[in-house]
Amino acid sequence: MSAVSNQALQDKMDREMLMPWLKFSWEAHRSTLESLRNNVKLEQIYQNVATKAFQFCLTYNRRTEFRRLCDLMRTHLTTSLGSTHSNAINIMDPDTLQRHLDLRFLQLETASQLEMWQEAFKSVEEVYTLALLGGYLAPPQNGTPLPPAVVQFLNSGDSSHLHPFRKSMDDVSSATVVSTYFSKLTKVFAVGADDVFSASCWNRSYAWSRRLQQLDGEVSS
């Protein structure tokens, strides 16, 4: 009886104290991100708040809030492409692009730990889009369509003079992005039933890891 009473008391405390606090904390993160979005002067703070929001979702196992957070950040990224106001971020700026890649890699890792594989796959798609925009990956061949966000960016008036897909794979930073991309992708395909995709990812992950080690050795020497 004592154990039952203690459990009932704990449940009551969770409902009356913990749940309101969790709701308030989520709303604080959400509204802050809304206020900081698409502003080049605030993008470092945006990254810090988004990182804390991911940690909040992971610490308290807030799967619903994590899904909403991913949707929110996806909307922010999409609306920022081709934005023309004076303080808008430029996704082609190396520092800005790297911040967004870092956030998406963290988003992918968080989704994997929460075992939310649909969100993990969406995160992979976002990393792929950013990698295409930054020139880290070659565009698809044989008539395969580009991701909608890439098409939107290339068709925007302010970006028509830009030429992505030119980044060299002979520097450590570029190779690190691609190596990390395939390494994270192996985790997603590992839970699926398609052994061909999984084997392909492992093969590319290994190849890029070897390439990165080679480049690190050249830099050290």
Side-chain angles (χ1 to χ4, degrees), residues 165-219:
F165 320 133
R166 287 185 173 180
K167 192 172 291 294
S168 169
M169 290 295 105
D170 292 330
D171 64 272
V172 175
S173 61
S174 300
T176 298
V177 171
V178 181
S179 177
T180 304
Y181 169 74
F182 284 113
S183 176
K184 299 294 185 183
L185 193 57
T186 58
K187 296 183 179 180
V188 178
F189 283 117
V191 301
D194 197 322
D195 295 335
V196 174
F197 279 114
S198 182
S200 177
C201 283
W202 277 110
N203 179 57
R204 294 196 178 194
S205 177
Y206 174 75
W208 277 104
S209 295
R210 291 289 302 271
R211 177 60 177 157
L212 185 57
Q213 291 177 358
Q214 179 184 358
L215 291 173
D216 280 335
E218 292 176 359
V219 171

Side-chain angles (χ1 to χ4, degrees), residues 5-67:
S5 298
N6 289 338
Q7 184 61 45
L9 180 61
Q10 183 63 47
D11 291 343
K12 181 179 180 181
M13 291 180 63
D14 287 347
R15 289 194 304 271
E16 294 182 355
M17 300 179 63
L18 180 60
M19 296 307 296
W21 179 85
L22 289 174
K23 182 177 180 181
F24 172 80
S25 184
W26 157 246
E27 287 297 329
H29 284 98
R30 184 196 62 77
S31 59
T32 302
L33 288 173
E34 285 281 21
S35 300
L36 298 172
R37 64 185 175 89
N38 195 25
N39 190 317
V40 67
K41 296 180 179 179
L42 303 174
E43 59 179 335
Q44 182 62 64
I45 304 176
Y46 180 96
Q47 182 184 25
N48 294 339
V49 174
T51 300
K52 292 181 180 179
F54 286 135
Q55 187 58 51
F56 163 79
C57 294
L58 184 60
T59 300
Y60 297 100
N61 196 33
R62 307 303 296 176
R63 296 164 67 90
T64 299
E65 284 82 354
F66 177 74
R67 186 178 295 107

